Amino acid sequence: MGGAGTFVVARWRPVQQHPVAGFLLPCQGDFMAASAQKVSRYTPGEWRNLRLGLLFVSPWVVGFVVFTIYPLLASLYYSLTRYDLLRPPVFLGIKNYTTLFFDDPHFWNVMGNTIYYVGVSVPLGVGSAFIIANMLNSRVVARTFFRGIIYIPSIVPAVASAMVWDFLMNVQWGAINGLLRFFGLPVIPFLSNPAWSKPSLILVAVWANGAAVVIFLASLQDVPRALYEAATVDGANIWHRFRNVTIPITSPIILFNLIMGLIVAFQEFTIPWLLTQGGPMNSTEFYLVHLYRNAFAYLRMGKASALAWILLFIIVVFTILVFRSSARWVYYGGDK
Amino acid sequence: MTIPNISRRAFLRTTGLVAGTTALAACAVPGAAPAGGDTMASEPKTIEFVSGWGSAVEPFREIAQLDSFKALAGEDTEFNVRPVGLEDLAAALAAGDTPDGGSNIDYPGLWARGIVIDCNDYVNGSDIIDPSGVLEPVWNAAVYGSNLIGVPSVEGFMWYGMNYNAKHVEEVGLDVDDLPLTWEAVMEWHVELSKFDEGGNVIRMGFDPVDAMAAEPDFISHSFGHAWWNDEEQTFHFDHELMALGIETQAEFFRHIGPDNFAGLRSVEGQGRWGGSYYAEVQSIIMDGYWHCGETVSEKPELAPFNRSAWPPVPAFREGAKIQATGAHMIQIFKEANNPDGMFNFAEIMHTNEPMNIIFDSVGWIMGVKSFISTIDPDTYPGLRFYLESVDEVTDWIIGRRCPIHWYMYTQVNELREQVYRDFMTAEEAVAEMQKRAEAEWEAQGLS
């Protein structure tokens, strides 16, 4: 070994072989080697800059460690304990996890409810947002007005939305059922029948999907006009242009909305809690509602922490699956 | 005036010093006082109290201003009371922000988890509290083995009664002189009192079996002559034919209304809370305690003149049994309390007439102190007379809410009862599942 410089260069050399491109990147390699050499020879001024830099980022680092890393690790520990806040935690190993999977009378029902909700609300939400965005991207009358109207639900506080939907969908005095009754039609027990409760909550979720519409709108406005013109010249009709130009070009945004939708749907809490509190007959007991109930109604912090970690695992798995599938249907221009 | 130049290094050093000093100051022991006994003696004493029932907070504040309390606890005593939910209280206890005491909280649950102290020594040393002057079942509600898990001080009288809206009863032509004393008879009233529109939507329900005390597992089991919890053996007895019969009997009331109609009625804002549908006059009969009379006056004064009270029902095979329950809303003192003596002083003063009157006048609650009960005008609130005059006729007493996982089982019983009245399981399967869940929770909570 011929000193630090030699060591650093030798260490960095494998990086020069690009794992994907499969060819050497001499410039990149030289730059990295040079940078790495510098690390070992900081001048006093650079050390000062480093200290200052660390000092300036320290509020964020401290906040991240105290408010994110510590609670994360603490919840991992608590998930292995029996902890009710009132007494010190008692270590149980993986018992909370095995109890959830094999002995909990609610867990699989909750999983079923959540998968149903995610499986229907996310595709429906993304699909409807995409269609609405396309409609709003065309030359319709009062386009600005409609754009505003579509976005408003996503900025209405969840509690206010819940109150409005409760009023609309109540089986006794709800406005929708009032209309049905007026026309002599049978009423719909939106929130009070187990068969209707989940579709009703999905309806509320899709209604409040204005943010996805706005993101789609922005992406639609970035689709090069030239592509549509070229497609038109080649004889493409409106469906062909939509199918072969609009969807591929906006597919990265569809992926983004799909993943964000998945993450949000798995963690749905506010609207179900306010509208149905998990009922009727546990039909809207979604994952986070169940987690909340375990943590704050039954004070089973250990079990609730285990539920949280299982949820994290589920979301990560679903996200990976969607990312993996994206290789088949997401178009990244020349960078695929 | 010139502005002195300051280098970046000097600036950072100065701000770092200030920040560090501030952090150190923040870490100092709160309330640390300089040496000297005189200074310590002059510090005001503080009592931190929590109440699980928000409506009681203002009366508690009023009581803390009484001269008699100040004479007992000290003129400079500061009394702070705040409403809490279970999760707030648990979080406060976990964070070390322990109040001195609390009321309307999960008494047996907190005792079973070792959070509160045995109050026997305090009570034995008191010149104010006379346990023999308190109704025996009310006092015993706080006795677990040889321990006194709190001081019965806030409320404790008759917890069960069939309260009904006389206006509704008369409207449908029912005879108020022939009150239903059995579940079968209550069902007949339920059918008569429930109203539907042309589309089959319920306008009014006769009786809601999950409102107020009717929702509690104690109520239905006691009415059918059964006890689901054995206090001495600490064992559960849900899986019993009488429990199943009780659940099935209640289910019939839901089926008459229609489960979806029922859920819809309760989901209307305010109608799902305790007594809400009775005050909204969409429920005609409510199983509730004596406090219902006073609360009706404060919740809906125009309804109060029509409020009547009677014996809660029993099944026909137990006809003639006059069931009743009591318990004690007590003041529990936390082990980590900073001022347990002050907290006990507050419990003591609650045994004198002036505070008991404040509580009664403001929220209609009665503390089961015999000398106080004898001073109450039975016509203060419509319906109250029944409770005051029937106390000696009770044939079957229980002390309610004794089980440390009572509130957990309350939710499970309601959940499983819904599965019964929606015909997803039989009552027998439901009580077997209740038993299983109760035993599992008992073990999971580390109470076995």
Short mmCIF file of all heavy atoms in Angstrom, two decimals, chain A residues 48 52 55 82 84-87 105-106 166 170-173 181 187 189 192-194 280-282 296-300, chain B residues 8-9 12 90 93-94 113 115 201-202 260-261 263-265 267-268 408 411-412 415 418 422 424 437 441 444-446:
data_model
loop_
_atom_site.label_atom_id
_atom_site.label_comp_id
_atom_site.label_asym_id
_atom_site.label_seq_id
_atom_site.Cartn_x
_atom_site.Cartn_y
_atom_site.Cartn_z
N ARG A 48 -13.47 23.64 9.30
CA ARG A 48 -14.36 24.64 9.88
C ARG A 48 -15.71 24.64 9.14
O ARG A 48 -16.77 24.70 9.73
CB ARG A 48 -13.71 26.02 9.81
CG ARG A 48 -14.44 27.07 10.66
CD ARG A 48 -13.73 28.40 10.66
NE ARG A 48 -13.69 28.99 9.33
CZ ARG A 48 -12.56 29.30 8.68
NH1 ARG A 48 -11.39 29.09 9.25
NH2 ARG A 48 -12.61 29.84 7.47
N LEU A 52 -19.31 23.89 10.58
CA LEU A 52 -20.41 24.85 10.43
C LEU A 52 -21.61 24.21 9.73
O LEU A 52 -22.76 24.41 10.13
CB LEU A 52 -19.94 26.06 9.60
CG LEU A 52 -19.17 27.12 10.37
CD1 LEU A 52 -18.65 28.17 9.41
CD2 LEU A 52 -20.09 27.76 11.41
N LEU A 55 -23.31 22.08 12.08
CA LEU A 55 -24.03 22.90 13.06
C LEU A 55 -25.36 23.38 12.49
O LEU A 55 -26.40 23.33 13.14
CB LEU A 55 -23.17 24.09 13.47
CG LEU A 55 -23.76 25.02 14.53
CD1 LEU A 55 -23.82 24.29 15.87
CD2 LEU A 55 -22.92 26.29 14.67
N ARG A 82 -45.60 -6.28 26.36
CA ARG A 82 -46.94 -5.92 26.80
C ARG A 82 -46.79 -4.57 27.50
O ARG A 82 -46.08 -4.45 28.48
CB ARG A 82 -47.49 -6.96 27.80
CG ARG A 82 -48.89 -6.60 28.28
CD ARG A 82 -49.43 -7.61 29.26
NE ARG A 82 -48.71 -7.58 30.50
CZ ARG A 82 -48.25 -8.65 31.13
NH1 ARG A 82 -48.43 -9.84 30.63
NH2 ARG A 82 -47.58 -8.54 32.27
N ASP A 84 -49.07 -1.03 28.62
CA ASP A 84 -50.37 -0.36 28.67
C ASP A 84 -50.24 1.10 29.11
O ASP A 84 -51.24 1.71 29.49
CB ASP A 84 -51.33 -1.12 29.58
CG ASP A 84 -50.82 -1.24 31.01
OD1 ASP A 84 -49.81 -0.59 31.34
OD2 ASP A 84 -51.42 -1.99 31.79
N LEU A 85 -49.06 1.64 29.08
CA LEU A 85 -48.75 3.01 29.49
C LEU A 85 -48.75 3.16 31.01
O LEU A 85 -48.10 4.04 31.55
CB LEU A 85 -49.73 4.05 28.91
CG LEU A 85 -49.69 4.33 27.42
CD1 LEU A 85 -50.80 5.32 27.04
CD2 LEU A 85 -48.35 4.92 26.98
N LEU A 86 -49.53 2.33 31.68
CA LEU A 86 -49.69 2.49 33.12
C LEU A 86 -48.62 1.73 33.91
O LEU A 86 -48.30 2.09 35.03
CB LEU A 86 -51.07 1.99 33.56
CG LEU A 86 -52.25 2.65 32.84
CD1 LEU A 86 -53.55 1.96 33.20
CD2 LEU A 86 -52.32 4.13 33.20
N ARG A 87 -48.13 0.67 33.27
CA ARG A 87 -47.10 -0.14 33.94
C ARG A 87 -45.90 -0.25 33.01
O ARG A 87 -46.04 -0.08 31.79
CB ARG A 87 -47.65 -1.54 34.24
CG ARG A 87 -48.78 -1.55 35.23
CD ARG A 87 -49.46 -2.91 35.27
NE ARG A 87 -50.11 -3.24 34.02
CZ ARG A 87 -50.79 -4.36 33.79
NH1 ARG A 87 -50.88 -5.26 34.74
NH2 ARG A 87 -51.38 -4.58 32.64
N PRO A 105 -59.37 -12.20 17.23
CA PRO A 105 -60.64 -12.42 16.54
C PRO A 105 -60.95 -11.37 15.48
O PRO A 105 -61.86 -11.54 14.68
CB PRO A 105 -61.66 -12.35 17.68
CG PRO A 105 -61.02 -11.56 18.75
CD PRO A 105 -59.54 -11.81 18.63
N HIS A 106 -60.19 -10.27 15.48
CA HIS A 106 -60.50 -9.18 14.55
C HIS A 106 -59.50 -9.02 13.40
O HIS A 106 -59.83 -8.44 12.38
CB HIS A 106 -60.54 -7.85 15.31
CG HIS A 106 -61.61 -7.80 16.34
ND1 HIS A 106 -61.35 -7.89 17.69
CD2 HIS A 106 -62.95 -7.68 16.24
CE1 HIS A 106 -62.49 -7.84 18.35
NE2 HIS A 106 -63.47 -7.71 17.50
N ASP A 166 -72.29 12.54 6.43
CA ASP A 166 -73.19 11.93 7.41
C ASP A 166 -74.62 12.44 7.18
O ASP A 166 -75.59 11.68 7.18
CB ASP A 166 -72.72 12.28 8.83
CG ASP A 166 -73.41 11.41 9.88
OD1 ASP A 166 -73.94 10.35 9.51
OD2 ASP A 166 -73.41 11.80 11.05
N ASN A 170 -77.30 9.56 5.76
CA ASN A 170 -78.04 8.91 6.85
C ASN A 170 -79.30 8.23 6.32
O ASN A 170 -80.00 8.78 5.46
CB ASN A 170 -78.41 9.95 7.91
CG ASN A 170 -79.05 9.29 9.10
OD1 ASN A 170 -80.26 9.11 9.16
ND2 ASN A 170 -78.24 8.89 10.05
N VAL A 171 -79.54 7.05 6.85
CA VAL A 171 -80.66 6.28 6.32
C VAL A 171 -82.01 6.89 6.71
O VAL A 171 -83.00 6.73 6.00
CB VAL A 171 -80.54 4.80 6.78
CG1 VAL A 171 -80.83 4.65 8.27
CG2 VAL A 171 -81.45 3.90 5.98
N GLN A 172 -82.05 7.61 7.83
CA GLN A 172 -83.33 8.17 8.28
C GLN A 172 -83.62 9.54 7.69
O GLN A 172 -84.67 9.77 7.11
CB GLN A 172 -83.32 8.31 9.81
CG GLN A 172 -83.04 7.03 10.56
CD GLN A 172 -84.10 5.99 10.30
OE1 GLN A 172 -85.27 6.33 10.25
NE2 GLN A 172 -83.69 4.76 10.12
N TRP A 173 -82.64 10.43 7.90
CA TRP A 173 -82.90 11.81 7.52
C TRP A 173 -81.90 12.35 6.52
O TRP A 173 -81.77 13.55 6.34
CB TRP A 173 -82.89 12.70 8.79
CG TRP A 173 -84.02 12.35 9.69
CD1 TRP A 173 -85.33 12.61 9.48
CD2 TRP A 173 -83.95 11.63 10.92
NE1 TRP A 173 -86.08 12.10 10.50
CE2 TRP A 173 -85.27 11.50 11.41
CE3 TRP A 173 -82.91 11.08 11.66
CZ2 TRP A 173 -85.57 10.85 12.60
CZ3 TRP A 173 -83.21 10.43 12.85
CH2 TRP A 173 -84.52 10.33 13.30
N ARG A 181 -86.83 8.69 -1.24
CA ARG A 181 -88.15 8.49 -0.63
C ARG A 181 -89.20 9.34 -1.35
O ARG A 181 -90.31 8.90 -1.60
CB ARG A 181 -88.07 8.86 0.86
CG ARG A 181 -89.09 8.13 1.72
CD ARG A 181 -88.85 8.41 3.18
NE ARG A 181 -87.65 7.76 3.66
CZ ARG A 181 -86.70 8.35 4.36
NH1 ARG A 181 -86.77 9.63 4.64
NH2 ARG A 181 -85.65 7.68 4.78
N VAL A 187 -84.94 3.28 0.16
CA VAL A 187 -83.80 4.03 0.70
C VAL A 187 -82.56 3.13 0.70
O VAL A 187 -82.68 1.90 0.64
CB VAL A 187 -84.07 4.56 2.12
CG1 VAL A 187 -85.21 5.53 2.11
CG2 VAL A 187 -84.31 3.40 3.09
N PRO A 189 -79.24 2.12 2.86
CA PRO A 189 -78.58 2.26 4.17
C PRO A 189 -77.07 2.40 4.01
O PRO A 189 -76.30 1.50 4.35
CB PRO A 189 -78.96 0.95 4.87
CG PRO A 189 -79.19 -0.02 3.78
CD PRO A 189 -79.63 0.73 2.58
N SER A 192 -75.23 2.28 7.43
CA SER A 192 -75.77 1.47 8.52
C SER A 192 -75.96 0.00 8.13
O SER A 192 -76.48 -0.77 8.93
CB SER A 192 -77.08 2.06 9.03
OG SER A 192 -77.92 2.43 7.97
N ASN A 193 -75.53 -0.36 6.95
CA ASN A 193 -75.60 -1.76 6.55
C ASN A 193 -74.20 -2.24 6.17
O ASN A 193 -73.50 -1.56 5.44
CB ASN A 193 -76.55 -1.91 5.35
CG ASN A 193 -76.72 -3.36 4.94
OD1 ASN A 193 -75.80 -3.97 4.41
ND2 ASN A 193 -77.89 -3.91 5.20
N PRO A 194 -73.80 -3.41 6.66
CA PRO A 194 -72.43 -3.88 6.39
C PRO A 194 -72.13 -4.01 4.90
O PRO A 194 -70.98 -3.84 4.49
CB PRO A 194 -72.39 -5.26 7.06
CG PRO A 194 -73.48 -5.25 8.07
CD PRO A 194 -74.54 -4.34 7.55
N PRO A 280 -71.02 -0.58 10.58
CA PRO A 280 -71.78 -1.55 11.36
C PRO A 280 -71.16 -2.94 11.28
O PRO A 280 -70.64 -3.33 10.24
CB PRO A 280 -73.15 -1.54 10.66
CG PRO A 280 -72.87 -1.08 9.27
CD PRO A 280 -71.70 -0.16 9.36
N MET A 281 -71.21 -3.61 12.38
CA MET A 281 -70.69 -4.97 12.51
C MET A 281 -69.25 -5.09 12.03
O MET A 281 -68.90 -6.03 11.32
CB MET A 281 -71.59 -5.96 11.75
CG MET A 281 -72.00 -7.10 12.63
SD MET A 281 -72.97 -8.31 11.75
CE MET A 281 -71.82 -9.03 10.67
N ASN A 282 -68.43 -4.14 12.43
CA ASN A 282 -66.99 -4.13 12.11
C ASN A 282 -66.70 -4.08 10.61
O ASN A 282 -65.57 -4.37 10.20
CB ASN A 282 -66.29 -5.37 12.70
CG ASN A 282 -66.18 -5.28 14.19
OD1 ASN A 282 -66.20 -4.20 14.75
ND2 ASN A 282 -66.08 -6.42 14.85
N PHE A 296 -55.49 3.24 22.01
CA PHE A 296 -56.05 4.28 22.87
C PHE A 296 -57.38 3.93 23.53
O PHE A 296 -57.80 4.65 24.43
CB PHE A 296 -56.16 5.59 22.09
CG PHE A 296 -54.82 6.10 21.67
CD1 PHE A 296 -54.42 6.04 20.35
CD2 PHE A 296 -53.93 6.60 22.61
CE1 PHE A 296 -53.16 6.48 19.95
CE2 PHE A 296 -52.68 7.05 22.24
CZ PHE A 296 -52.29 6.98 20.90
N ALA A 297 -58.05 2.89 23.07
CA ALA A 297 -59.26 2.47 23.78
C ALA A 297 -58.93 1.32 24.73
O ALA A 297 -59.42 1.27 25.84
CB ALA A 297 -60.34 2.05 22.79
N TYR A 298 -58.08 0.40 24.25
CA TYR A 298 -57.74 -0.77 25.08
C TYR A 298 -56.36 -0.65 25.73
O TYR A 298 -55.96 -1.54 26.48
CB TYR A 298 -57.80 -2.05 24.24
CG TYR A 298 -59.08 -2.27 23.49
CD1 TYR A 298 -59.11 -2.96 22.29
CD2 TYR A 298 -60.31 -1.80 23.99
CE1 TYR A 298 -60.30 -3.18 21.60
CE2 TYR A 298 -61.49 -2.00 23.30
CZ TYR A 298 -61.48 -2.68 22.11
OH TYR A 298 -62.66 -2.90 21.42
N LEU A 299 -55.65 0.41 25.41
CA LEU A 299 -54.30 0.63 25.96
C LEU A 299 -53.37 -0.56 25.72
O LEU A 299 -52.57 -0.92 26.58
CB LEU A 299 -54.35 0.98 27.45
CG LEU A 299 -55.09 2.26 27.82
CD1 LEU A 299 -54.95 2.54 29.31
CD2 LEU A 299 -54.57 3.46 27.04
N ARG A 300 -53.50 -1.18 24.56
CA ARG A 300 -52.57 -2.27 24.22
C ARG A 300 -51.49 -1.68 23.32
O ARG A 300 -51.53 -1.87 22.10
CB ARG A 300 -53.30 -3.35 23.46
CG ARG A 300 -54.41 -4.05 24.21
CD ARG A 300 -55.27 -4.70 23.16
NE ARG A 300 -56.20 -5.68 23.68
CZ ARG A 300 -57.14 -6.24 22.91
NH1 ARG A 300 -57.24 -5.91 21.64
NH2 ARG A 300 -57.96 -7.11 23.43
N ARG B 8 -18.08 35.98 12.16
CA ARG B 8 -19.01 34.85 12.12
C ARG B 8 -18.72 33.89 13.29
O ARG B 8 -19.61 33.38 13.94
CB ARG B 8 -18.85 34.12 10.78
CG ARG B 8 -19.85 33.02 10.60
CD ARG B 8 -19.77 32.45 9.22
NE ARG B 8 -18.43 31.93 8.95
CZ ARG B 8 -18.12 31.27 7.83
NH1 ARG B 8 -19.02 31.12 6.88
NH2 ARG B 8 -16.91 30.81 7.62
N ARG B 9 -17.39 33.72 13.53
CA ARG B 9 -17.02 32.80 14.61
C ARG B 9 -17.51 33.32 15.96
O ARG B 9 -18.08 32.58 16.76
CB ARG B 9 -15.50 32.64 14.63
CG ARG B 9 -15.03 31.74 15.75
CD ARG B 9 -13.57 31.45 15.66
NE ARG B 9 -13.26 30.71 14.45
CZ ARG B 9 -12.05 30.20 14.18
NH1 ARG B 9 -11.08 30.35 15.04
NH2 ARG B 9 -11.84 29.55 13.07
N LEU B 12 -21.25 32.88 16.21
CA LEU B 12 -21.65 31.50 16.48
C LEU B 12 -21.32 31.10 17.92
O LEU B 12 -22.08 30.41 18.59
CB LEU B 12 -20.94 30.54 15.50
CG LEU B 12 -21.49 30.59 14.08
CD1 LEU B 12 -20.60 29.81 13.14
CD2 LEU B 12 -22.91 30.02 14.05
N ALA B 90 -53.83 8.05 30.63
CA ALA B 90 -52.76 7.06 30.49
C ALA B 90 -51.48 7.73 29.98
O ALA B 90 -50.38 7.44 30.46
CB ALA B 90 -53.20 5.95 29.55
N LEU B 93 -49.92 9.71 32.78
CA LEU B 93 -49.26 8.84 33.76
C LEU B 93 -47.95 8.29 33.19
O LEU B 93 -46.94 8.24 33.89
CB LEU B 93 -50.19 7.68 34.13
CG LEU B 93 -51.46 8.07 34.93
CD1 LEU B 93 -52.42 6.89 35.02
CD2 LEU B 93 -51.09 8.56 36.32
N ALA B 94 -47.98 7.91 31.91
CA ALA B 94 -46.77 7.37 31.28
C ALA B 94 -45.68 8.42 31.20
O ALA B 94 -44.50 8.11 31.31
CB ALA B 94 -47.10 6.84 29.89
N ARG B 113 -53.97 -2.42 38.14
CA ARG B 113 -52.66 -2.17 37.54
C ARG B 113 -51.71 -1.46 38.50
O ARG B 113 -50.61 -1.03 38.10
CB ARG B 113 -52.84 -1.37 36.25
CG ARG B 113 -53.47 -2.19 35.13
CD ARG B 113 -53.94 -1.37 33.96
NE ARG B 113 -54.47 -2.18 32.89
CZ ARG B 113 -55.73 -2.65 32.86
NH1 ARG B 113 -56.56 -2.36 33.86
NH2 ARG B 113 -56.15 -3.40 31.87
N ILE B 115 -51.86 1.47 40.13
CA ILE B 115 -51.59 2.89 39.89
C ILE B 115 -52.05 3.77 41.04
O ILE B 115 -51.56 4.88 41.23
CB ILE B 115 -52.33 3.36 38.60
CG1 ILE B 115 -52.04 2.44 37.43
CG2 ILE B 115 -51.99 4.79 38.24
CD1 ILE B 115 -50.58 2.35 37.07
N ASN B 201 -89.25 3.28 7.40
CA ASN B 201 -88.15 3.91 8.13
C ASN B 201 -88.63 4.28 9.52
O ASN B 201 -89.72 4.82 9.69
CB ASN B 201 -87.69 5.18 7.41
CG ASN B 201 -87.33 4.88 5.99
OD1 ASN B 201 -86.38 4.15 5.72
ND2 ASN B 201 -88.13 5.42 5.06
N VAL B 202 -87.77 4.02 10.49
CA VAL B 202 -88.19 4.27 11.87
C VAL B 202 -88.16 5.77 12.17
O VAL B 202 -87.22 6.49 11.79
CB VAL B 202 -87.30 3.47 12.87
CG1 VAL B 202 -85.88 3.99 12.90
CG2 VAL B 202 -87.92 3.49 14.25
N ASP B 260 -80.56 -1.91 10.39
CA ASP B 260 -80.06 -0.75 9.64
C ASP B 260 -80.73 0.54 10.10
O ASP B 260 -80.09 1.58 10.24
CB ASP B 260 -80.30 -0.93 8.13
CG ASP B 260 -79.50 -2.08 7.56
OD1 ASP B 260 -78.61 -2.59 8.27
OD2 ASP B 260 -79.78 -2.47 6.42
N ASN B 261 -82.05 0.45 10.33
CA ASN B 261 -82.77 1.61 10.86
C ASN B 261 -82.17 2.04 12.19
O ASN B 261 -81.99 3.23 12.46
CB ASN B 261 -84.23 1.24 11.11
CG ASN B 261 -85.06 1.34 9.85
OD1 ASN B 261 -84.72 2.08 8.93
ND2 ASN B 261 -86.15 0.60 9.81
N ALA B 263 -79.12 1.47 13.37
CA ALA B 263 -77.79 2.09 13.21
C ALA B 263 -77.92 3.50 12.65
O ALA B 263 -77.21 4.42 13.06
CB ALA B 263 -76.92 1.23 12.30
N GLY B 264 -78.86 3.69 11.73
CA GLY B 264 -79.06 5.01 11.14
C GLY B 264 -79.54 6.01 12.16
O GLY B 264 -79.07 7.15 12.21
N LEU B 265 -80.44 5.57 13.01
CA LEU B 265 -80.98 6.47 14.04
C LEU B 265 -79.89 6.92 15.01
O LEU B 265 -79.79 8.07 15.38
CB LEU B 265 -82.09 5.74 14.81
CG LEU B 265 -83.14 6.61 15.46
CD1 LEU B 265 -84.06 7.22 14.44
CD2 LEU B 265 -83.97 5.78 16.45
N SER B 267 -76.74 7.01 14.36
CA SER B 267 -75.63 7.73 13.73
C SER B 267 -75.92 9.21 13.53
O SER B 267 -75.02 9.98 13.19
CB SER B 267 -75.28 7.09 12.38
OG SER B 267 -76.26 7.41 11.42
N VAL B 268 -77.17 9.61 13.76
CA VAL B 268 -77.48 11.04 13.67
C VAL B 268 -76.73 11.76 14.79
O VAL B 268 -76.70 11.29 15.92
CB VAL B 268 -79.00 11.28 13.81
CG1 VAL B 268 -79.31 12.76 13.86
CG2 VAL B 268 -79.72 10.62 12.65
N TYR B 408 -63.56 -2.98 28.56
CA TYR B 408 -63.21 -3.76 27.38
C TYR B 408 -64.37 -4.70 27.04
O TYR B 408 -64.80 -4.79 25.88
CB TYR B 408 -61.93 -4.57 27.62
CG TYR B 408 -61.62 -5.52 26.50
CD1 TYR B 408 -61.10 -5.05 25.30
CD2 TYR B 408 -61.88 -6.88 26.62
CE1 TYR B 408 -60.85 -5.92 24.25
CE2 TYR B 408 -61.64 -7.75 25.57
CZ TYR B 408 -61.12 -7.27 24.39
OH TYR B 408 -60.88 -8.12 23.34
N THR B 411 -67.37 -3.19 25.26
CA THR B 411 -67.28 -3.06 23.80
C THR B 411 -67.49 -4.41 23.12
O THR B 411 -68.12 -4.48 22.06
CB THR B 411 -65.91 -2.49 23.36
OG1 THR B 411 -64.88 -3.39 23.76
CG2 THR B 411 -65.65 -1.14 23.97
N GLN B 412 -66.96 -5.46 23.72
CA GLN B 412 -67.08 -6.78 23.09
C GLN B 412 -68.52 -7.28 23.11
O GLN B 412 -69.00 -7.88 22.16
CB GLN B 412 -66.15 -7.80 23.78
CG GLN B 412 -64.69 -7.39 23.80
CD GLN B 412 -64.16 -7.03 22.42
OE1 GLN B 412 -64.15 -7.86 21.51
NE2 GLN B 412 -63.74 -5.78 22.25
N GLU B 415 -70.42 -5.50 20.47
CA GLU B 415 -70.05 -5.98 19.13
C GLU B 415 -70.72 -7.34 18.84
O GLU B 415 -71.30 -7.54 17.77
CB GLU B 415 -68.53 -6.12 19.06
CG GLU B 415 -68.03 -6.61 17.73
CD GLU B 415 -66.59 -7.10 17.81
OE1 GLU B 415 -65.78 -6.45 18.48
OE2 GLU B 415 -66.32 -8.15 17.21
N GLU B 418 -74.48 -7.26 18.35
CA GLU B 418 -74.86 -6.83 17.00
C GLU B 418 -74.84 -8.02 16.03
O GLU B 418 -75.71 -8.15 15.16
CB GLU B 418 -73.93 -5.73 16.49
CG GLU B 418 -74.37 -5.19 15.13
CD GLU B 418 -73.53 -4.04 14.61
OE1 GLU B 418 -72.50 -3.72 15.22
OE2 GLU B 418 -73.91 -3.45 13.59
N ARG B 422 -78.18 -9.23 14.02
CA ARG B 422 -78.12 -9.27 12.55
C ARG B 422 -78.08 -10.72 12.05
O ARG B 422 -77.84 -10.96 10.86
CB ARG B 422 -76.89 -8.51 12.06
CG ARG B 422 -77.02 -7.00 12.15
CD ARG B 422 -75.84 -6.31 11.50
NE ARG B 422 -75.87 -4.86 11.65
CZ ARG B 422 -76.45 -4.02 10.79
NH1 ARG B 422 -77.06 -4.49 9.74
NH2 ARG B 422 -76.42 -2.72 11.00
N PHE B 424 -75.94 -13.12 12.41
CA PHE B 424 -74.68 -13.70 11.95
C PHE B 424 -74.17 -14.77 12.91
O PHE B 424 -73.28 -15.53 12.57
CB PHE B 424 -73.61 -12.61 11.78
CG PHE B 424 -73.73 -11.89 10.47
CD1 PHE B 424 -74.68 -10.88 10.30
CD2 PHE B 424 -72.91 -12.21 9.39
CE1 PHE B 424 -74.81 -10.22 9.09
CE2 PHE B 424 -73.04 -11.56 8.19
CZ PHE B 424 -73.98 -10.56 8.02
N ARG B 437 -63.07 -14.20 24.73
CA ARG B 437 -62.40 -12.90 24.64
C ARG B 437 -62.05 -12.35 26.03
O ARG B 437 -61.00 -11.72 26.21
CB ARG B 437 -63.27 -11.89 23.88
CG ARG B 437 -63.38 -12.22 22.42
CD ARG B 437 -64.10 -11.14 21.64
NE ARG B 437 -64.38 -11.56 20.29
CZ ARG B 437 -64.96 -10.81 19.37
NH1 ARG B 437 -65.34 -9.58 19.67
NH2 ARG B 437 -65.19 -11.27 18.15
N GLU B 441 -58.28 -11.53 27.13
CA GLU B 441 -57.90 -10.17 27.51
C GLU B 441 -57.31 -10.13 28.92
O GLU B 441 -56.36 -9.41 29.20
CB GLU B 441 -59.10 -9.22 27.41
CG GLU B 441 -58.82 -7.77 27.74
CD GLU B 441 -57.90 -7.08 26.73
OE1 GLU B 441 -57.59 -7.70 25.70
OE2 GLU B 441 -57.49 -5.94 27.00
N ALA B 444 -53.93 -11.35 28.51
CA ALA B 444 -53.11 -10.41 27.72
C ALA B 444 -52.75 -9.16 28.52
O ALA B 444 -51.69 -8.57 28.30
CB ALA B 444 -53.85 -10.01 26.45
N GLN B 445 -53.62 -8.77 29.43
CA GLN B 445 -53.35 -7.58 30.24
C GLN B 445 -52.46 -7.91 31.44
O GLN B 445 -52.16 -7.03 32.25
CB GLN B 445 -54.66 -6.96 30.73
CG GLN B 445 -55.49 -6.30 29.64
CD GLN B 445 -54.91 -4.96 29.20
OE1 GLN B 445 -54.04 -4.40 29.87
NE2 GLN B 445 -55.35 -4.46 28.07
N GLY B 446 -52.09 -9.16 31.55
CA GLY B 446 -51.22 -9.54 32.66
C GLY B 446 -51.91 -9.50 34.01
O GLY B 446 -51.29 -9.22 35.04
#
